[in-house]
Amino acid sequence: MMLEVVQIIVSLLIIVSALMVTEVRGLVRMALSFSIMSALIAILFITLSATYAGVFQLAIYAGFIPIIILVTVALTRGGEDVGD
Amino acid sequence: MMAAYIILAVVLFMILSLILEWVDRKVYAHVQHRVGPFVAGYHGILQPVADLLKLMNKDEVVVEGSDEQLLHLMPILSLTFVLFSLLFVPVASVEGLLSFKGDLIIILAFSVLIHLFYIVTGLSQRSIFASVGAARWGQLLISFEIPLLISVASVALVANSVTLSEIVSFQSNSFPIILLSPLSFIAAVFASLAKIEKTPFSVPDAETEIAGGWLSEISGRRLAIFRIVTDLKYLLLSALIVTLFLGGPLGPTVSGIEPLLSVFWFLVKLVFVAILLSYVRGIVARYRIDQVIRFFWFKITPLAAVNLIVLIFLRMGKVI
Amino acid sequence: MSSMAELFYTLIILFIFSSLLYFSGKSLKRVNKNPFASGEMVFPQRVQYLLPWLFSLIAFIAVDATVLLIVVSASTVNIVTIACLALVVLSFLLIPWSER
């Protein structure tokens, strides 16, 4: 019973954070909310007793993919208004 | 009750990390024929604490246009995750304060998350130095993460497990894993040096080129927290190398005072690895970023991969 | 073995601890109008990057997933693991290292 409540809450949070990925302004915050969504999915996997799948999700999708997105953003952001 | 244990362990780890920073600075200074910190306390042992208190009491300067909420959140989250991964390390017995099925991968995942927070810190400041520093963090990350993972994979292959307590108990039953994977040990040492951005690989915060890199606009308490995080990462990686390759808290024991002797052996090995890291840092000069990538991808990764492939064939031939 | 709830509880305690440590610092704030706190003016410029870079990002994910697969399936080395390793080595050879 307790586990089901946790799963429902986590699922709702996943939907909220997935919406945040599309709605939030700024690429940095977008990547961060993507990371939060992946971490929540990892928690859902672990509560479904698929420990290794959850840990894998945490390592690849919450850790590396946002870093790849951010690095690509940082590398290809052209001559922006950094000055005044 | 659990909470009291956790807070106690966290405070002890912080004190230990500050002492390790002192050891690092002393060794680095002695390699260069300097005396290093000498004023505060016995041979300057309180110097890291003094630096920390000074930074905590400074004003913080915020550049207009930077994302302030993220800059508040990132130091807190980095400190949380580095402390959380430290609690898995076995110190006083075979098992750490926390343990979980597959906790080695959890530690690696959280250490990657800390680098994600670093990159976000660099990109949320409105400064070209900081964005260049963040981009360099990404480049450094994809160069050193693979050798680290391969060396961890060879340890997991030998010990037949990805749980730290099982790896330690495997080593207590047979032998330290460094005997079967010496090349992975070398790869892990270099990857750890890159992970704590010490001198040969300190490209993200190169003071002479990009004025501090991702930390260039960070000041006051934020800088203090990031310094503690760097020290704790130094402690975490040294402790991880000790646990994975050198047998962790194992050693000759006398029955009756096992926990005390475990802590003693752990500290001896920890200081040995920390001095090794500082010494390597002291005797080499800094690489350019493309040199770092070439070094890791063409020298260190094959070194670790050879070891892993040999171990795979040994495992298929039922030798180990 | 700790339970899932214990890990979560620890994470919350550590978050509270770190926020207390962070907010115990001095919070007097100065806002700098100049985009650089160091007072140095640098003209906006494009960050240089090499083309092999974008390939190496993809190769990185492949290698990473493979190595994590080896770590997770530590006990059962089989032909799949070796095939993955061979594919990764092949993908490294496809990166155009000489192009700029």
Side-chain angles (χ1 to χ4, degrees):
Chain A
M1 185 59 209
M2 185 64 198
L3 206 62
E4 285 168 7
V5 171
V6 169
Q7 280 169 5
I8 291 170
I9 292 172
V10 168
S11 310
L12 288 177
L13 285 176
I14 288 172
I15 295 172
V16 170
S17 53
L19 282 176
M20 266 171 65
V21 174
T22 57
E23 295 298 325
V24 151
R25 286 186 66 82
L27 283 170
V28 176
R29 292 184 173 214
M30 184 275 288
L32 209 61
S33 21
F34 179 77
S35 171
I36 292 169
M37 188 190 77
S38 307
L40 287 171
I41 292 177
I43 291 175
L44 191 63
F45 274 144
I46 294 175
T47 51
L48 290 170
S49 69
T51 312
Y52 283 142
V55 170
F56 217 91
Q57 175 88 14
L58 193 67
I60 298 279
Y61 284 91
F64 285 116
I65 303 281
I67 285 181
I68 300 294
I69 293 171
L70 283 176
V71 168
T72 316
V73 168
L75 280 175
T76 54
R77 182 155 53 174
E80 223 188 2
D81 56 334
V82 182
D84 45 12
Chain B
M1 196 55 214
M2 186 76 186
Y5 271 125
I6 289 166
I7 296 294
L8 185 68
V10 161
V11 171
L12 286 179
F13 275 131
M14 278 187 160
I15 293 171
L16 188 59
S17 75
L18 289 174
I19 293 174
L20 269 189
E21 190 199 343
W22 174 74
V23 170
D24 175 48
R25 284 166 73 170
K26 267 306 210 205
V27 172
Y28 189 51
H30 279 296
V31 169
Q32 296 176 336
H33 288 273
R34 296 185 286 118
V35 288
F38 212 80
V39 178
Y42 171 76
H43 281 249
I45 197 168
L46 293 177
Q47 189 63 44
V49 185
D51 289 350
L52 207 65
L53 289 180
K54 187 198 83 172
L55 279 177
M56 290 295 263
N57 283 315
K58 283 213 164 198
D59 290 3
E60 50 183 2
V61 180
V62 178
V63 176
E64 197 182 34
S66 55
D67 198 333
E68 236 182 283
Q69 293 159 354
L70 285 186
L71 284 182
H72 276 307
L73 197 59
M74 286 306 121
I76 299 175
L77 282 182
S78 327
L79 188 59
T80 307
F81 282 124
V82 76
L83 287 174
F84 185 65
S85 6
L86 263 174
L87 289 181
F88 285 101
V89 174
V91 177
S93 68
V94 174
E95 208 172 283
L97 190 59
L98 299 175
S99 75
F100 194 64
K101 195 180 160 206
D103 51 4
L104 183 56
I105 307 177
I106 289 191
I107 291 179
L108 291 174
F110 279 156
S111 68
V112 172
L113 275 182
I114 293 165
H115 295 120
L116 173 67
F117 299 147
Y118 282 2
I119 291 174
V120 170
T121 308
L123 285 179
S124 52
Q125 305 160 36
R126 196 161 153 271
S127 157
I128 191 89
F129 290 129
S131 9
V132 172
R136 283 185 176 202
W137 248 126
Q139 300 181 354
L140 190 64
L141 187 81
I142 74 158
S143 56
F144 71 71
E145 201 62 38
I146 293 169
L148 187 66
L149 280 178
I150 292 179
S151 51
V152 168
S154 57
V155 170
L157 200 68
V158 173
N160 219 336
S161 161
V162 278
T163 310
L164 281 178
S165 59
E166 288 176 13
I167 289 175
V168 173
S169 51
F170 170 82
Q171 294 180 80
S172 79
N173 290 331
S174 49
F175 48 85
I177 289 181
I178 187 174
L179 294 180
L180 266 181
S181 56
L183 299 177
S184 293
F185 176 73
I186 296 171
V189 166
F190 278 106
S192 315
L193 269 176
K195 216 169 168 97
I196 46 181
E197 43 174 344
K198 292 295 182 191
T199 295
F201 313 114
S202 68
V203 274
D205 64 344
E207 275 95 0
T208 48
E209 296 168 22
I210 49 172
W214 61 281
L215 280 174
S216 60
E217 317 290 340
I218 300 285
S219 55
R221 51 185 180 176
R222 287 183 191 130
L223 188 57
I225 297 291
F226 277 127
R227 274 180 67 103
I228 303 180
V229 171
T230 308
D231 289 346
L232 284 169
K233 256 169 62 188
Y234 185 42
L235 174 64
L236 173 65
L237 287 163
S238 314
L240 211 58
I241 289 177
V242 166
T243 309
L244 293 182
F245 291 100
L246 300 177
L250 303 172
T253 50
V254 183
S255 63
I257 48 168
E258 278 102 349
L260 217 62
L261 277 174
S262 296
V263 173
F264 173 74
W265 287 117
F266 182 80
L267 286 180
V268 167
K269 291 171 184 174
L270 186 73
V271 169
F272 170 74
V273 173
I275 287 178
L276 182 71
L277 289 177
S278 304
Y279 195 74
V280 174
R281 172 191 170 210
I283 59 176
V284 284
R286 187 161 63 77
Y287 281 135
R288 277 201 320 267
I289 179 70
D290 58 324
Q291 287 171 334
V292 170
I293 292 180
R294 277 172 206 284
F295 178 74
F296 272 112
W297 281 42
F298 295 120
K299 295 200 174 63
I300 297 295
T301 306
L303 201 69
V306 163
N307 204 329
L308 180 66
I309 290 169
V310 167
L311 286 175
I312 285 178
F313 280 117
L314 283 181
R315 168 54 58 86
M316 286 180 82
K318 302 275 191 293
V319 180
I320 50 170
Chain C
M1 291 288 157
S2 319
S3 64
M4 187 71 197
E6 232 171 29
L7 294 186
F8 197 64
Y9 175 63
T10 312
L11 208 55
I12 289 176
I13 289 177
L14 288 178
F15 185 77
I16 293 170
F17 177 81
S18 337
S19 353
L20 283 181
L21 195 68
Y22 176 73
F23 287 111
S24 68
K26 191 172 179 182
S27 69
L28 182 65
K29 189 180 72 178
R30 283 185 289 155
V31 175
N32 205 345
K33 298 274 185 209
N34 196 338
F36 303 106
S38 49
E40 193 174 346
M41 279 306 291
V42 176
F43 292 106
Q45 58 187 20
R46 193 144 192 250
V47 179
Q48 292 287 320
Y49 67 98
L50 303 173
L51 184 66
W53 240 88
L54 298 178
F55 286 91
S56 53
L57 287 178
I58 300 160
F60 172 70
I61 290 289
V63 176
D64 198 64
T66 311
V67 176
L68 270 180
L69 192 69
I70 295 174
V71 173
V72 168
S73 66
S75 54
T76 57
V77 169
N78 47 18
I79 198 73
V80 176
T81 319
I82 295 173
C84 277
L85 219 60
L87 277 178
V88 163
V89 171
L90 205 69
S91 74
F92 259 75
L93 295 178
L94 293 177
I95 300 175
W97 286 105
S98 55
E99 275 182 55
R100 303 252 148 191

